[in-house]
Amino acid sequence: MSTRSDRKGWQERLTAHIRAQGGRVTRPRLEIAEVFFGMRGHPGVEEVAAAVHKRWPGVGNATVYRTLHLLSDAGLVEARQFGEGFARYEAAATREHHDHLVCTACGTILEFEDDAIEDLQRQASERHGFLMKSHRMEIYGVCSKCQARGSDGPAQRHARPRKARARR
Amino acid sequence: MSTRSDRKGWQERLTAHIRAQGGRVTRPRLEIAEVFFGMRGHPGVEEVAAAVHKRWPGVGNATVYRTLHLLSDAGLVEARQFGEGFARYEAAATREHHDHLVCTACGTILEFEDDAIEDLQRQASERHGFLMKSHRMEIYGVCSKCQARGSDGPAQRHARPRKARARR
DNA sequence: CTACATGCAAAGAATTTGCAAAATA
DNA sequence: TATTTTGCAAATTCTTTGCATGTAG
């Protein structure tokens, strides 16, 4: 059953959300959403903005930030923090809930779900009197490809953030 | 057994680490470590700096940042990201491993450990061919006190970061 | 027409870095 | 004394905001 926001419905869902707030369904908003939902992976704002500019030059970065927030408010998108010092976004509610496996060597991010862990998290919350609202979990390690390739090396995530490739 | 870095050993461990790098055991470094290990909770750099200044005015913030990194390299401290847009630190290796329960109403951070979850995380990693190096998990919700007090409200963590109380 | 949205540039916040002066070994 | 550190301020990086102009409804 149902809290679906798959590749089809974002248009209507977004329009509904905007109208509900007395807002306006504008060209840039639709363009940015269009591009975002066409992307794979967990792009950062910068990546989204670049993709948008490729198809619709003239759209300002501030609007990309603002629209991503809008999509987040609409529940169509979720912000993630992988400890890199900037936010990454992903389409929301693709599945019930999922966590991430982040390869510290190549940066690949795999998604996975585990109901047993979900249950234990809920139990742990209750054990401490918490009313669980949400949770996040990331496992950092080396993916099979990098293990085979023997590259345990670079792309240090975790710990000391804000240093990932500079780009200005 | 033994990867202990409790209230006693940080002095020697830090000194050893510094000397091993051909570095110097300086006044500010010891002062900052002293203050940090005397603090409770998961202070952000700002809080650490404030506490340091109270006892040793004249220490620059840059040095606090640099020393916290040093402590991290020495394995005495761990950086955490609770999605607030800034890093929090905690003394490392107090226990085997633990996760966090973050109250979205009052900001309290509780620690807990759960071996069963640890096991499942390892299993999930293996299932996807990952060599797990580390992992982090946070549960966001409302703590018992806030539930009783009926405050589900403010202190929005998660999602839209970088907006938490401004202080300059 | 009128309120909301956009773009641009400036403002902010957290963190890093350059450099001359200070301190350690 | 030779280097490493420190402090301060300036620079960076990501994100938010102010404001004049553009535009959906």
Side-chain angles (χ1 to χ4, degrees):
Chain A
M1 305 92 185
S2 52
T3 315
R4 266 287 161 53
S5 75
D6 45 58
R7 259 73 233 198
K8 300 293 192 176
W10 71 260
Q11 194 128 204
E12 299 98 78
R13 296 240 280 144
L14 176 56
T15 299
H17 176 79
I18 292 176
R19 295 226 164 98
Q21 325 272 289
R24 287 157 192 193
V25 180
T26 67
R27 194 80 186 298
R29 283 176 172 177
L30 294 176
E31 295 171 345
I32 293 167
E34 168 83 35
V35 169
F36 176 79
F37 289 116
M39 295 178 81
R40 295 249 125 256
H42 303 67
V45 182
E46 196 199 325
E47 292 168 69
V48 178
V52 168
H53 293 156
K54 214 179 299 177
R55 303 244 305 262
W56 287 283
V59 175
N61 279 31
T63 302
V64 176
Y65 275 97
R66 287 189 278 232
T67 300
L68 250 9
H69 285 164
L70 178 69
L71 293 174
S72 182
D73 289 339
L76 292 165
V77 142
E78 265 179 55
R80 301 275 176 185
Q81 280 280 165
F82 291 114
E84 304 161 297
F86 59 90
R88 286 180 179 278
Y89 292 84
E90 67 177 334
T94 302
R95 268 173 286 167
E96 276 307 320
H97 178 82
H98 62 269
D99 299 302
H100 298 89
L101 280 163
V102 182
C103 178
T104 53
C106 68
T108 301
I109 298 173
L110 253 68
E111 300 181 348
F112 75 97
E113 46 191 304
D114 192 316
D115 292 338
I117 292 181
E118 298 287 307
D119 286 345
L120 290 176
Q121 290 176 323
R122 193 164 297 283
Q123 285 172 36
S125 299
E126 288 170 2
R127 199 181 313 136
H128 293 272
F130 257 69
L131 177 61
M132 178 164 106
K133 288 294 182 58
S134 67
H135 58 96
R136 52 177 46 176
M137 182 189 124
E138 296 109 40
I139 295 178
Y140 297 84
V142 185
C143 72
S144 49
K145 282 181 187 168
C146 289
Q147 284 178 58
R149 185 150 32 75
S151 47
D152 273 42
Q156 42 111 232
R157 306 247 169 181
H158 226 209
R160 202 172 305 179
R162 198 62 66 78
K163 198 177 192 178
R165 71 202 106 85
R167 60 274 260 182
R168 178 171 289 169
Chain B
M1 312 95 180
S2 43
T3 315
R4 264 293 160 50
S5 75
D6 45 59
R7 261 72 235 196
K8 300 292 188 177
W10 70 260
Q11 195 129 206
E12 299 98 80
R13 298 239 282 143
L14 177 56
T15 298
H17 176 78
I18 292 176
R19 296 228 163 100
Q21 325 271 289
R24 287 162 192 191
V25 180
T26 67
R27 196 86 185 295
R29 284 175 172 175
L30 293 176
E31 295 171 348
I32 293 167
E34 169 82 36
V35 170
F36 176 80
F37 289 116
M39 295 178 81
R40 295 250 125 254
H42 303 68
V45 182
E46 198 198 322
E47 291 167 70
V48 178
V52 169
H53 294 156
K54 213 179 297 177
R55 302 245 304 267
W56 288 284
V59 175
N61 278 29
T63 301
V64 177
Y65 275 98
R66 288 189 278 230
T67 300
L68 249 12
H69 286 163
L70 178 70
L71 293 175
S72 182
D73 289 339
L76 292 165
V77 140
E78 264 179 57
R80 301 276 177 184
Q81 278 283 164
F82 291 116
E84 304 162 297
F86 60 90
R88 286 179 179 280
Y89 291 84
E90 68 177 334
T94 302
R95 266 173 286 167
E96 276 308 319
H97 179 84
H98 61 270
D99 300 301
H100 299 90
L101 279 162
V102 183
C103 178
T104 54
C106 67
T108 301
I109 297 172
L110 253 66
E111 300 181 349
F112 74 97
E113 46 191 303
D114 192 316
D115 292 336
I117 292 180
E118 297 287 307
D119 287 344
L120 290 175
Q121 291 176 323
R122 193 164 295 283
Q123 285 172 35
S125 300
E126 288 169 2
R127 197 180 312 134
H128 293 271
F130 257 69
L131 176 62
M132 181 164 106
K133 288 294 182 61
S134 69
H135 57 94
R136 48 179 50 177
M137 182 188 122
E138 296 108 39
I139 295 178
Y140 297 85
V142 186
C143 72
S144 50
K145 283 182 185 166
C146 288
Q147 285 178 59
R149 184 148 35 73
S151 48
D152 275 40
Q156 42 111 231
R157 307 247 172 179
H158 227 209
R160 204 172 305 180
R162 201 59 68 74
K163 197 178 192 176
R165 71 202 106 85
R167 60 273 265 178
R168 177 168 293 169

